[in-house]
Amino acid sequence: MFFAHYQTDIVQFIYVKFYREYMKNIKKVAVLGGGGRTGRYLVNQLLEKGFNVKVLLRNPQNFTIQNSKIEIIKGDAISESSIRSLLEDCQAVVSTVGQRPGEPMVASQATKNILKIMNEFDIERYVLLAGLNIDTPFDKKSEKTLLATEWMKANYPEIQKDRQLTYDLLTESNADWTLIRVPFIEFTDTTAEVIVNPEDCPGDKISSFDIAGFMVQEIIEPKFIRKAPFIANI
């Protein structure tokens, strides 16, 4: 993996500039959660930007997007063999996979599998989605964001713990990840200005269309390598 840890803004700037050149070599992107309400926008926008896409699906029969640039892998994110099949021949990984009610925790196990196979295949880039409730050492959360975080911890402690573990796994890895934190998601194709803040959530909602657009842009022209920015619509 390239330059795993950065301490100064100058080094980060040099690295991002270097990495943008690397990104030009990304032709095929592995997608987890591509059958979901945000994931479908993500797949479509990757296709619009000219990428080939491999999509991991538990139920391929329910997937309606048709395009010659799509390759479907039947499997599960918590299965290491499924992730290996998905990531083969890819140069980047993006994930919008969510927690399934009544099922085993998926976020941390999927990330463990992804990071392991990324290392095997020498894949550098991993962009994934999370809620605003994830904490990082760099946060300066407002009272509103703190209340939302505490509500999640109180009402969904297992999910919260699993998502927080996912962040810890990322920071301990050598991967070039970006964990995008979002508020309430409106599952629409509407678009508005997207505000980015590295320390606190700047708004109350964001459309799934704009989430997908931000994730794709982080593949094309990364700005937040090994960071966990908040994004929201205004």
Side-chain angles (χ1 to χ4, degrees):
M1 301 295 173
F2 297 125
F3 311 107
H5 300 286
Y6 300 91
Q7 301 299 323
T8 69
D9 290 339
I10 293 175
V11 175
Q12 178 73 11
F13 173 79
I14 293 171
Y15 176 64
V16 168
K17 187 174 182 180
F18 165 82
Y19 210 86
R20 287 175 182 170
E21 293 301 314
Y22 169 82
M23 287 295 167
K24 294 178 182 178
N25 296 320
I26 293 178
K27 306 300 181 185
K28 185 180 293 187
V29 179
V31 178
L32 293 91
R37 290 181 289 179
T38 299
R40 295 181 187 188
Y41 289 113
L42 179 60
V43 171
N44 278 324
Q45 292 189 41
L46 285 167
L47 292 170
E48 288 171 6
K49 294 297 184 180
F51 292 104
N52 291 290
V53 180
K54 288 181 76 173
V55 186
L56 181 67
L57 299 168
R58 290 203 299 174
N59 300 295
Q61 69 276 10
N62 298 330
F63 191 70
T64 59
I65 302 173
Q66 301 293 318
N67 192 293
S68 60
K69 288 180 173 290
I70 295 176
E71 179 181 352
I72 293 174
I73 303 297
K74 180 176 172 56
D76 197 302
I78 63 174
S79 163
E80 183 178 316
S81 61
S82 294
I83 296 298
R84 182 171 283 104
S85 296
L86 175 69
L87 269 57
E88 187 175 7
D89 298 325
C90 291
Q91 295 82 44
V93 185
V94 292
S95 175
T96 61
V97 69
Q99 182 57 45
R100 307 148 185 161
E103 296 195 22
M105 295 295 105
V106 65
S108 64
Q109 186 58 55
T111 290
K112 287 178 184 177
N113 293 335
I114 290 165
L115 291 172
K116 178 179 179 181
I117 306 306
M118 284 178 65
N119 189 59
E120 290 182 15
F121 291 157
D122 199 25
I123 298 171
E124 307 295 337
R125 195 69 172 119
Y126 181 24
V127 179
L128 65 161
L129 189 63
L132 57 78
N133 50 289
I134 302 305
D135 293 322
T136 84
F138 312 103
D139 290 345
K140 296 180 181 177
K141 289 184 175 181
S142 65
E143 183 176 354
K144 180 185 288 187
T145 307
L146 285 172
L147 285 172
T149 298
E150 292 306 313
W151 184 90
M152 187 68 181
K153 290 179 180 179
N155 289 275
Y156 297 97
E158 290 188 23
I159 296 175
Q160 170 69 25
K161 182 178 179 180
D162 188 57
R163 292 285 177 169
Q164 193 66 48
L165 175 58
T166 299
Y167 174 76
D168 294 340
L169 291 168
L170 294 171
T171 60
E172 292 165 4
S173 76
N174 291 324
D176 296 314
W177 53 269
T178 300
L179 187 145
I180 300 166
R181 292 182 283 177
V182 299
F184 178 78
I185 301 174
E186 294 186 321
F187 297 105
T188 70
D189 58 1
T190 58
T191 186
E193 183 178 355
V194 175
I195 299 297
V196 186
N197 188 315
E199 299 174 337
D200 185 30
C201 191
D204 297 327
K205 61 185 179 180
I206 188 166
S207 73
S208 49
F209 183 90
D210 283 336
I211 292 172
F214 190 86
M215 297 183 82
V216 173
Q217 191 61 28
E218 274 297 301
I219 294 295
I220 297 171
E221 191 173 2
K223 295 181 180 179
F224 299 97
I225 297 166
R226 296 188 64 85
K227 294 184 178 181
F230 296 91
I231 64 172
N233 288 137
I234 61 167

